[in-house]
Amino acid sequence: MSGELRVLGACPLDCPDTCSWVVTVEDGQAVKMRGNPDHPYTRGALCVKVNRYLEHTRSDDRILYPMRRVGPKGSGRFERITWDEALDEISTRLRAIVDEHGGEAIWPYLGTGSLGYLQGCEGVAGRRFWNVLGASKHWLNICSAAGSSGLFRTQGTAGGMDPENFAQAKLILLWGTNTLTSGHHLWKFIQDGRAAGAYVVAIDPIRTRTADQADQHLAIRPGTDAALALGLLNVVLAENAQDEEYLAAHTEGWEEFREEILNHPVERVAEITGIPAADIHSLGMRLAHTRPTAIRATMGIQRHEGGGTAMRTIAAIPGVTGDWRHPGGGVAYSTSGHVRLNIDMRDDLLAKPVRTLVMTKLASQLDDVKCLWVYAANPMASTSDTNRIRRQLAREDLFTVVMEQFPTDTVDYADIVLPATMQTEHADLHAGYGHMYLLWNEPAVPPPGECLSTTETFRRLAAHMGMTEPSLFASDLELAEDLLSGDHPSLAGITLDRLRKEGWVRMSYPEPFAPFADGFPTPSGRMRFPRAGQAYVPSMTAREARPGALTLITPASHTFLNSTFGNNPELRRRAKDPVVLVNPADAAARGLESGRRVRVHNAGGEFLADVEVSDRVAPGVVASPKGRWPKLSPGGANANAVVAERDADMGKGPVYHDNWVELSPCDGP
Ligand SMILES: Nc1nc2c(c(=O)[nH]1)N[C@H]1C(S)=C(S)[C@@H](COP(=O)(O)OP(=O)(O)OC[C@H]3O[C@@H](n4cnc5c(=O)[nH]c(N)nc54)[C@H](O)[C@@H]3O)O[C@H]1N2
Ligand SMILES: Nc1nc2c(c(=O)[nH]1)N[C@H]1C(S)=C(S)[C@@H](COP(=O)(O)OP(=O)(O)OC[C@H]3O[C@@H](n4cnc5c(=O)[nH]c(N)nc54)[C@H](O)[C@@H]3O)O[C@H]1N2
Ligand code: SF4
Ligand SMILES: [Mo]
């Protein structure tokens, strides 16, 4: 058809699947977007959220022009200004802050709104500019840091199985992961495995839609996963099913870890985890006698005080069973450890070393910050302890700039708002964290209004501030060439030309892939088992289990992607009002019935939700999905009002699923 164009792109959202998409452009308008049928992982499907992406790009509330605040902080009242005015004001304020307080008083707070290597959090976005200015560094630990460090300690990398190899597994554990909601493309491979006889077990305190589809669901007490791992291995040892050859060749610390396992007989583990001993035993038997066993363990497990340890201990399982010998065996947390692009953060541009500020500590680390620069993030919705963050953002001495697509709660606190492009409007390079492909996103249409990409915004700002460092002005294509220019073997044969033509290319790893069949990327080349006493650290919820208190879990929402789409009318309609799932026993004890609106509260704050009485959650556990915009929620708050700014045991990760709450009827005492 004349005037019709097919443009290949990639989903930028923080989801393991990083889908390849095809945008149909007619007469300069993007008229259709669908999953790329040729991509081996996307297999032609996007998801319930991104099926609305094009509609979202044209949303009435899209931010199209630079704006300056005219009302009090938090009011969301702005006037339109020109880019020149915006860059003038920003330049003046940044210079003054650097002169008076030093560059470290600037916090470039970059979130996960896009995982792009150009425009988003995985790569260069603005970092060269911040280094020239001497701004504080930003540690993006909001999502997976605890689990990654746990895995790193055991394996030397957070990378693991190729998820496509789940099709070869004979036993599949879906452990703290809600596949059908948070990255559904894996499901086809699980189904392929099933068709060849695999048995699927979901281990989750909630009977999720994924658990519904599994052969078996174990409703574990939150924060006790490390103990379960030890209990399962206890059965493996009792069956003498450990892989002695693999243990001897590729692991260290086995004698000590073995003792730890022997200290965790099934009955003890049943007491800790709340899972019946018979179920632990039967799963232990399956684990002992089924090769290969594939474990999909993702972020749910590690959003706990003991989360790093839990992941570290789960990662030890295939070291004992020898599952890493087989492509269909091992642990799949994230494939990002296999992505070896040439990422140079250009620290050489720093005049002197600077401090690092921690994303999850926004509420407490803003004290001596004078400029908060938020991009691809929505901390007022997504970061812990939002009441304290709100007080900080209201400070008159804080200069806040937000680069955004939509008028979020965070935007409401900005002094200057800069309009940001969406994925169909800018170029980017992507890798999945749940598959083995690199992807190129070609812009399909020009940006609406005066929106600019992240890279272009920083190029213009650098020029406006009179900076002369040449690398600040590298074009998107030059940046992409740089990223692909590394000499790691996984990049062999992958050029920008090829990516632009084909849309995606598999990284050069063997297929099928058994990454640790011959050892690990640790200093000794061996898996490092946890030391005795370090294998199981009970999380807050496990440690303080006390009658009457409820553990709040705030998992992925089916209809939102973190807070992205939280303003989309159709997805909001589908999501209905916020709910909190409550076990019938806990509901009865509080005189609550379904539909009753409650305050979910603790010392940190409260949010409102409607009770849904349900045996999907075990007694003592309540659940309310993440991603709501506070200002679009009843009471003006979401679940992060009750999530404490407390560190997990590793990586300073957040504890989104590890907080005590109480429920009180809104109309009651
Ligand atoms: N639809 C949708 N998809 C998403 C997202 C989204 O918001 N919406 N978010 C994206 C992002 S940023 C990420 S990081 C991932 C997150 O997605 P997942 O990795 O799936 O992580 P969560 O949703 O936090 O938790 C997964 C499951 O872990 C369970 N869980 C909680 N505590 C425990 C525990 O102590 N032990 C065990 N065994 N299970 C536990 C929860 O009940 C939940 O069902 O998904 C991505 N995909
Ligand atoms: N209670 C609770 N809270 C959680 C979690 C949980 O499990 N429970 N999960 C956490 C997890 S896993 C994560 S990853 C974080 C995510 O938290 P954040 O990193 O803050 O991500 P989002 O909330 O999705 O906000 C991203 C914003 O970036 C904007 N954006 C998207 N693309 C671009 C772009 O190209 N340029 C610019 N300038 N802006 C863009 C979007 O419009 C959106 O408003 O949330 C965490 N929050
Ligand atoms: S959010 Fe995930 S499943 Fe949906 S289109 Fe993006 S990558 Fe694919
Ligand atoms: Mo995340």
PDB file of all heavy atoms in Angstrom, residues 574-590:
ATOM      1  N   ARG A 574      -9.835  -1.299  33.815  1.00  0.00           N
ATOM      2  CA  ARG A 574      -9.686  -2.746  34.034  1.00  0.00           C
ATOM      3  C   ARG A 574      -9.160  -3.058  35.422  1.00  0.00           C
ATOM      4  O   ARG A 574      -9.497  -4.077  36.013  1.00  0.00           O
ATOM      5  CB  ARG A 574      -8.707  -3.329  33.024  1.00  0.00           C
ATOM      6  CG  ARG A 574      -9.281  -3.365  31.652  1.00  0.00           C
ATOM      7  CD  ARG A 574      -8.454  -4.305  30.829  1.00  0.00           C
ATOM      8  NE  ARG A 574      -8.672  -4.017  29.424  1.00  0.00           N
ATOM      9  CZ  ARG A 574      -8.162  -4.721  28.444  1.00  0.00           C
ATOM     10  NH1 ARG A 574      -7.383  -5.750  28.718  1.00  0.00           N
ATOM     11  NH2 ARG A 574      -8.407  -4.414  27.197  1.00  0.00           N
ATOM     12  N   ALA A 575      -8.282  -2.204  35.920  1.00  0.00           N
ATOM     13  CA  ALA A 575      -7.670  -2.484  37.227  1.00  0.00           C
ATOM     14  C   ALA A 575      -8.659  -2.243  38.365  1.00  0.00           C
ATOM     15  O   ALA A 575      -8.498  -2.772  39.454  1.00  0.00           O
ATOM     16  CB  ALA A 575      -6.444  -1.599  37.426  1.00  0.00           C
ATOM     17  N   LYS A 576      -9.690  -1.469  38.102  1.00  0.00           N
ATOM     18  CA  LYS A 576     -10.678  -1.098  39.130  1.00  0.00           C
ATOM     19  C   LYS A 576      -9.995  -0.362  40.281  1.00  0.00           C
ATOM     20  O   LYS A 576      -8.840   0.017  40.199  1.00  0.00           O
ATOM     21  CB  LYS A 576     -11.435  -2.322  39.628  1.00  0.00           C
ATOM     22  CG  LYS A 576     -12.065  -3.148  38.512  1.00  0.00           C
ATOM     23  CD  LYS A 576     -13.256  -3.944  39.023  1.00  0.00           C
ATOM     24  CE  LYS A 576     -13.922  -4.751  37.918  1.00  0.00           C
ATOM     25  NZ  LYS A 576     -13.141  -5.935  37.521  1.00  0.00           N
ATOM     26  N   ASP A 577     -10.718  -0.180  41.387  1.00  0.00           N
ATOM     27  CA  ASP A 577     -10.129   0.510  42.535  1.00  0.00           C
ATOM     28  C   ASP A 577      -9.081  -0.388  43.198  1.00  0.00           C
ATOM     29  O   ASP A 577      -9.143  -1.606  43.065  1.00  0.00           O
ATOM     30  CB  ASP A 577     -11.219   0.875  43.553  1.00  0.00           C
ATOM     31  CG  ASP A 577     -11.991   2.123  43.115  1.00  0.00           C
ATOM     32  OD1 ASP A 577     -11.488   2.848  42.226  1.00  0.00           O
ATOM     33  OD2 ASP A 577     -13.088   2.351  43.637  1.00  0.00           O
ATOM     34  N   PRO A 578      -8.128   0.211  43.906  1.00  0.00           N
ATOM     35  CA  PRO A 578      -7.106  -0.621  44.573  1.00  0.00           C
ATOM     36  C   PRO A 578      -7.756  -1.614  45.538  1.00  0.00           C
ATOM     37  O   PRO A 578      -8.704  -1.263  46.246  1.00  0.00           O
ATOM     38  CB  PRO A 578      -6.272   0.403  45.358  1.00  0.00           C
ATOM     39  CG  PRO A 578      -6.604   1.732  44.785  1.00  0.00           C
ATOM     40  CD  PRO A 578      -7.923   1.639  44.128  1.00  0.00           C
ATOM     41  N   VAL A 579      -7.250  -2.830  45.519  1.00  0.00           N
ATOM     42  CA  VAL A 579      -7.763  -3.840  46.447  1.00  0.00           C
ATOM     43  C   VAL A 579      -6.635  -4.317  47.352  1.00  0.00           C
ATOM     44  O   VAL A 579      -5.451  -4.164  47.030  1.00  0.00           O
ATOM     45  CB  VAL A 579      -8.329  -5.079  45.721  1.00  0.00           C
ATOM     46  CG1 VAL A 579      -9.574  -4.721  44.940  1.00  0.00           C
ATOM     47  CG2 VAL A 579      -7.278  -5.730  44.847  1.00  0.00           C
ATOM     48  N   VAL A 580      -7.028  -4.879  48.473  1.00  0.00           N
ATOM     49  CA  VAL A 580      -6.083  -5.614  49.308  1.00  0.00           C
ATOM     50  C   VAL A 580      -6.675  -6.999  49.549  1.00  0.00           C
ATOM     51  O   VAL A 580      -7.817  -7.129  49.996  1.00  0.00           O
ATOM     52  CB  VAL A 580      -5.757  -4.853  50.621  1.00  0.00           C
ATOM     53  CG1 VAL A 580      -6.998  -4.550  51.443  1.00  0.00           C
ATOM     54  CG2 VAL A 580      -4.727  -5.615  51.448  1.00  0.00           C
ATOM     55  N   LEU A 581      -5.916  -8.010  49.140  1.00  0.00           N
ATOM     56  CA  LEU A 581      -6.367  -9.398  49.340  1.00  0.00           C
ATOM     57  C   LEU A 581      -6.149  -9.789  50.793  1.00  0.00           C
ATOM     58  O   LEU A 581      -5.037  -9.616  51.320  1.00  0.00           O
ATOM     59  CB  LEU A 581      -5.549 -10.340  48.452  1.00  0.00           C
ATOM     60  CG  LEU A 581      -6.130 -10.732  47.094  1.00  0.00           C
ATOM     61  CD1 LEU A 581      -6.455  -9.512  46.258  1.00  0.00           C
ATOM     62  CD2 LEU A 581      -5.166 -11.639  46.342  1.00  0.00           C
ATOM     63  N   VAL A 582      -7.199 -10.332  51.420  1.00  0.00           N
ATOM     64  CA  VAL A 582      -7.120 -10.705  52.830  1.00  0.00           C
ATOM     65  C   VAL A 582      -7.661 -12.121  52.976  1.00  0.00           C
ATOM     66  O   VAL A 582      -8.730 -12.440  52.430  1.00  0.00           O
ATOM     67  CB  VAL A 582      -7.968  -9.741  53.705  1.00  0.00           C
ATOM     68  CG1 VAL A 582      -7.758 -10.025  55.180  1.00  0.00           C
ATOM     69  CG2 VAL A 582      -7.651  -8.282  53.381  1.00  0.00           C
ATOM     70  N   ASN A 583      -6.944 -12.945  53.691  1.00  0.00           N
ATOM     71  CA  ASN A 583      -7.394 -14.313  53.934  1.00  0.00           C
ATOM     72  C   ASN A 583      -8.698 -14.290  54.754  1.00  0.00           C
ATOM     73  O   ASN A 583      -8.868 -13.438  55.619  1.00  0.00           O
ATOM     74  CB  ASN A 583      -6.293 -15.069  54.680  1.00  0.00           C
ATOM     75  CG  ASN A 583      -6.667 -16.518  54.932  1.00  0.00           C
ATOM     76  OD1 ASN A 583      -7.263 -16.844  55.951  1.00  0.00           O
ATOM     77  ND2 ASN A 583      -6.340 -17.380  53.988  1.00  0.00           N
ATOM     78  N   PRO A 584      -9.600 -15.252  54.471  1.00  0.00           N
ATOM     79  CA  PRO A 584     -10.879 -15.263  55.197  1.00  0.00           C
ATOM     80  C   PRO A 584     -10.716 -15.226  56.722  1.00  0.00           C
ATOM     81  O   PRO A 584     -11.475 -14.530  57.409  1.00  0.00           O
ATOM     82  CB  PRO A 584     -11.521 -16.581  54.754  1.00  0.00           C
ATOM     83  CG  PRO A 584     -10.926 -16.856  53.399  1.00  0.00           C
ATOM     84  CD  PRO A 584      -9.538 -16.273  53.418  1.00  0.00           C
ATOM     85  N   ALA A 585      -9.704 -15.921  57.253  1.00  0.00           N
ATOM     86  CA  ALA A 585      -9.536 -15.940  58.721  1.00  0.00           C
ATOM     87  C   ALA A 585      -9.160 -14.551  59.231  1.00  0.00           C
ATOM     88  O   ALA A 585      -9.701 -14.075  60.239  1.00  0.00           O
ATOM     89  CB  ALA A 585      -8.449 -16.948  59.110  1.00  0.00           C
ATOM     90  N   ASP A 586      -8.253 -13.885  58.532  1.00  0.00           N
ATOM     91  CA  ASP A 586      -7.844 -12.536  58.957  1.00  0.00           C
ATOM     92  C   ASP A 586      -8.985 -11.537  58.785  1.00  0.00           C
ATOM     93  O   ASP A 586      -9.136 -10.597  59.575  1.00  0.00           O
ATOM     94  CB  ASP A 586      -6.628 -12.068  58.153  1.00  0.00           C
ATOM     95  CG  ASP A 586      -5.393 -12.899  58.451  1.00  0.00           C
ATOM     96  OD1 ASP A 586      -5.192 -13.252  59.634  1.00  0.00           O
ATOM     97  OD2 ASP A 586      -4.641 -13.209  57.513  1.00  0.00           O
ATOM     98  N   ALA A 587      -9.778 -11.735  57.719  1.00  0.00           N
ATOM     99  CA  ALA A 587     -10.916 -10.835  57.497  1.00  0.00           C
ATOM    100  C   ALA A 587     -11.939 -11.013  58.611  1.00  0.00           C
ATOM    101  O   ALA A 587     -12.434 -10.030  59.196  1.00  0.00           O
ATOM    102  CB  ALA A 587     -11.540 -11.108  56.142  1.00  0.00           C
ATOM    103  N   ALA A 588     -12.222 -12.275  58.932  1.00  0.00           N
ATOM    104  CA  ALA A 588     -13.225 -12.554  59.973  1.00  0.00           C
ATOM    105  C   ALA A 588     -12.767 -11.976  61.306  1.00  0.00           C
ATOM    106  O   ALA A 588     -13.553 -11.359  62.041  1.00  0.00           O
ATOM    107  CB  ALA A 588     -13.466 -14.056  60.077  1.00  0.00           C
ATOM    108  N   ALA A 589     -11.474 -12.138  61.606  1.00  0.00           N
ATOM    109  CA  ALA A 589     -10.959 -11.652  62.890  1.00  0.00           C
ATOM    110  C   ALA A 589     -11.117 -10.137  63.009  1.00  0.00           C
ATOM    111  O   ALA A 589     -11.177  -9.596  64.115  1.00  0.00           O
ATOM    112  CB  ALA A 589      -9.490 -12.037  63.035  1.00  0.00           C
ATOM    113  N   ARG A 590     -11.194  -9.469  61.889  1.00  0.00           N
ATOM    114  CA  ARG A 590     -11.327  -7.996  61.899  1.00  0.00           C
ATOM    115  C   ARG A 590     -12.714  -7.530  61.512  1.00  0.00           C
ATOM    116  O   ARG A 590     -12.939  -6.326  61.324  1.00  0.00           O
ATOM    117  CB  ARG A 590     -10.290  -7.391  60.934  1.00  0.00           C
ATOM    118  CG  ARG A 590      -8.888  -7.507  61.463  1.00  0.00           C
ATOM    119  CD  ARG A 590      -7.853  -7.291  60.380  1.00  0.00           C
ATOM    120  NE  ARG A 590      -6.517  -7.455  60.945  1.00  0.00           N
ATOM    121  CZ  ARG A 590      -5.975  -8.635  61.235  1.00  0.00           C
ATOM    122  NH1 ARG A 590      -6.638  -9.759  60.995  1.00  0.00           N
ATOM    123  NH2 ARG A 590      -4.773  -8.688  61.778  1.00  0.00           N
TER     124      ARG A 590
END
